[in-house]
Amino acid sequence: RLQKLKEMFISKFGSAPKFYARAPGRVNLIGEHIDYCGYSVLPMAIEQDILIAVEPVQTQVVQLANTNSSYLDFSTSVNNIEINKTKPQWHNYFLCGLKGIQEHFGLNNPTGMNCLLDGTIPPSSGLSSSSALVCCAGLVTLKANGKTLSKMELAEICTKSERYIGTEGGGMDQSISFLAEEGTAKLIEFSPLRATDVRLPSGATFVIANSCVEMNKAATSHYNIRVMECRLATKLLSKSKGLEWRKMLRLHDVQSKLGVSLEEMLTIVEEVLHPEPYSTEEICKCLGISLEELHSQILSQNMQEVPTFKLYQRAKHVYSEAARVLEFQKICSEAPANALQLLGELMKQSHISCREMYECSCPELDRLVNICL
């Protein structure tokens, strides 16, 4: 593959690449949609990856090409990078990683580059092709400019820089892309970022099946609406418990401030929130604020037109899923005889919660799960 990439690079740019960078995609075993709420997740990297051949150049221009001809060539000056949020094209993810590193080091005269990219992660399939591209671009920019960072620092910079494209991610994808090691999954915890090996039961094989339904996080608002619903649930739960709700952003903050267990948080959700969707007016009434304050202080720019929010379902999913992650880790470390059955049961519960409480599944995926069961 490297040889083929090198030959294509030479025919494209007329010279050989100086180095190659690689970042893997990932699959999340359990812990769906809870990283941005502050909770631990349990992903593992996969062999499918983003591979980039690079030649630093004297001109302050970045030229990007892709081995897949359906992705068009792109070139831009390395100074004053503009990232178009309205059309999330492939090169914009590269620019996120580039800009993140440039800004971190305050690079005034960044190095230009010729880059040829080869990706084996199916796009928009939930295996983090976009984050792997951001990570690989960050790595490429770091190397081309002769800078060094730890994997931990790189993961944090790439998490922040992916937000340039409008995805409010939590950091799981970037962390596992940099911190993964062969033969182990990782429990990834946030603020501060840390990764712990989770040894999966011996003889276990994970089959990654693709429902072939594409979902582009940056192009649709579903993802960011969920992030906002979790934020609003955080505020209502905090207010009901007399906490400083204006400062609270994530569901994890409520739990840690109250100093209670995840099971107790689920009871609080039942007591405080109702299953019917909340209108913006009702949210304002609960928080004692004006509609104007809700729109200007809490809702992000692309959420202004959303009429209702489901808070009970989202909070219930997050707290129950966070508990499943810890249970999954515990089973892996204790390795009982029926470990695989227990892990399978947790993954099944996770999918049911994703389907019913978080509504981030689709009929094709549900059908795939049923076939597997």
Side-chain angles (χ1 to χ4, degrees), residues 7 13 23 91 131-132 185 193-194 257 287 344 354 372:
E7 285 161 14
F13 297 112
H91 60 256
S131 296
L193 180 64
R194 45 197 194 282
K257 270 276 186 281
L287 295 177
C354 282
C372 294

Side-chain angles (χ1 to χ4, degrees), residues 283-301:
I283 291 167
C284 291
K285 200 176 147 193
C286 293
L287 295 177
I289 58 173
S290 67
L291 207 53
E292 191 209 16
E293 189 180 343
L294 177 71
H295 283 294
S296 63
Q297 300 298 312
I298 301 174
L299 296 183
S300 55
Q301 212 37 57

Side-chain angles (χ1 to χ4, degrees), residues 7-78:
E7 285 161 14
M8 252 185 105
F9 190 98
I10 294 168
S11 73
K12 180 96 194 158
F13 297 112
S15 50
K18 292 288 180 287
F19 66 89
Y20 301 86
R22 174 183 175 269
R26 63 99 189 103
V27 68
N28 191 25
L29 297 175
I30 198 158
E32 292 299 331
H33 288 273
I34 60 174
D35 56 344
Y36 51 76
C37 296
Y39 283 106
S40 311
V41 289
L42 217 155
M44 62 181 180
I46 54 176
E47 62 200 77
Q48 285 77 5
D49 61 20
I50 299 285
L51 184 63
I52 305 180
V54 189
E55 179 193 23
V57 291
Q58 294 307 310
T59 59
Q60 289 196 305
V61 172
V62 172
Q63 293 203 68
L64 299 177
N66 199 307
T67 56
N68 179 340
S69 58
S70 59
Y71 295 112
L72 302 177
D73 290 5
F74 177 81
S75 74
T76 184
S77 158
V78 281

